[in-house]
Amino acid sequence: KLLAGPSADLATTAGLLAEVGLLLPRTAVDASTTPYSTTGAYLLGLWGLPAPIVEAVAFHDRPSRVRGSFWVTGAVHVAAALVNGREPDEAYLRSVGQYDRLPRWRELAKASTGSD
């Protein structure tokens, strides 16, 4: 609900796959040096998923590393944070001109999860 049209489809798919890296086996060395989001994105890239989905999975937990405007990565970041009870990166949202939408997104998340 944060994006419209084909972008919404990309964001929905990326949102569903955002935590796929948590399902992959990890060694102690790998876990300390590579974020799970990066390993998940790598797998999705090997499978040939579209670049916006791979990028969103890789950076949803640190969206300020992506250059450009608010798009799939930003939408997945906000949605994942709000659904999981975390605060979105407000500095990032300010930098991409989306901070003013955060109250509305919080309301959408509450309505979606049924929380007060």
Side-chain angles (χ1 to χ4, degrees), residues 82-84 108-116:
L82 294 176
V83 167
N84 290 309
L108 285 171
K110 283 181 187 177
S112 294
T113 61
S115 63
D116 292 325

Side-chain angles (χ1 to χ4, degrees), residues 5-6 13 21 74 81 101-102 116:
T13 302
R101 294 182 177 194
L102 188 53
D116 292 325

Side-chain angles (χ1 to χ4, degrees), residues 51-109:
I53 293 172
V54 174
E55 181 177 89
V57 170
F59 297 109
H60 75 280
D61 53 346
R62 49 196 193 287
S64 60
R65 291 191 150 191
V66 177
R67 293 188 180 172
S69 62
F70 183 87
W71 193 39
V72 176
T73 300
V76 173
H77 166 69
V78 170
L82 294 176
V83 167
N84 290 309
R86 297 187 309 261
E87 282 299 311
D89 183 340
E90 292 182 8
Y92 163 74
L93 292 175
R94 288 181 198 282
S95 75
V96 294
Q98 300 297 311
Y99 181 76
D100 60 324
R101 294 182 177 194
L102 188 53
R104 174 69 181 130
W105 293 337
R106 283 188 174 117
E107 291 302 317
L108 285 171

